[in-house]
Amino acid sequence: MEDHPNARAELFADDADPGMGANRVWFNLLRIHRSTGARIARALREIGVGDPVWYEILLELERAGPEGMAMAALERKLFTTQYALSRHAARLEEEGWISSASAPGPGRGKVLRLTEAGKGKYMEIWAVYSEAIAEEIGARLSVDEAYELARVLIRLYD
């Protein structure tokens, strides 16, 4: 393909099907995730972070304060499944960064809290994460483009 700024846009000029736009968004989001996600995850593994979502978990628990956060609430906030969050929580607990306890009341719910070792850990992770994001995404978008794209993407899950 020609390396011209409008070359890719011209590929879409003949789309007659109105549903194709949404399809293209979906598949391009998947491709972006695959092309940049692996490199970002590799950079995080170099500092002992098993998965990029660990940053989000630690950040939300930091925001929750000493009372912690119920796993069910964290699942909803991060748009993740109970199984995946349980697996990540177990690994974070093995690292010594969080603790878990039974939630008060009936049921099998858990509350997650940061340990002393976990406090501020998200900032260490963010230093690596933000550098990788800047290299992979920030170098390709202007500040205005980045904020506009973020606003549009938020509408997809808000």
Side-chain angles (χ1 to χ4, degrees), residues 18-131:
M20 285 303 296
N23 292 348
R24 289 187 190 277
V25 167
W26 176 251
F27 286 105
N28 282 298
L29 287 171
L30 290 175
R31 287 177 182 156
I32 291 165
H33 184 264
R34 285 192 305 264
S35 70
T36 62
R39 284 178 261 176
I40 290 170
R42 213 172 12 259
L44 292 172
R45 277 194 305 274
E46 289 175 8
I47 64 162
V49 175
D51 192 283
V53 78
W54 289 13
Y55 168 79
E56 294 177 82
I57 294 168
L58 293 169
L59 176 63
E60 293 304 328
L61 293 178
E62 190 86 36
R63 288 175 174 164
E67 61 276 354
M69 181 180 271
M71 279 189 61
L74 193 54
E75 289 167 25
R76 288 187 300 274
K77 187 152 188 108
L78 299 181
F79 299 96
T80 190
T81 63
Q82 184 275 328
Y83 168 78
L85 183 57
S86 291
R87 190 183 75 230
H88 291 301
R91 291 184 66 203
L92 286 164
E93 201 162 8
E94 287 172 15
E95 292 290 333
W97 299 343
I98 71 168
S99 65
S100 65
S102 295
R108 296 178 11 187
K110 286 189 172 185
V111 174
L112 303 177
R113 292 179 181 84
L114 287 177
T115 62
E116 282 302 314
K119 289 181 182 172
K121 191 71 176 173
Y122 77 97
M123 291 186 299
E124 179 184 328
I125 296 169
W126 181 246
V128 173
Y129 214 148
S130 65
E131 183 178 326

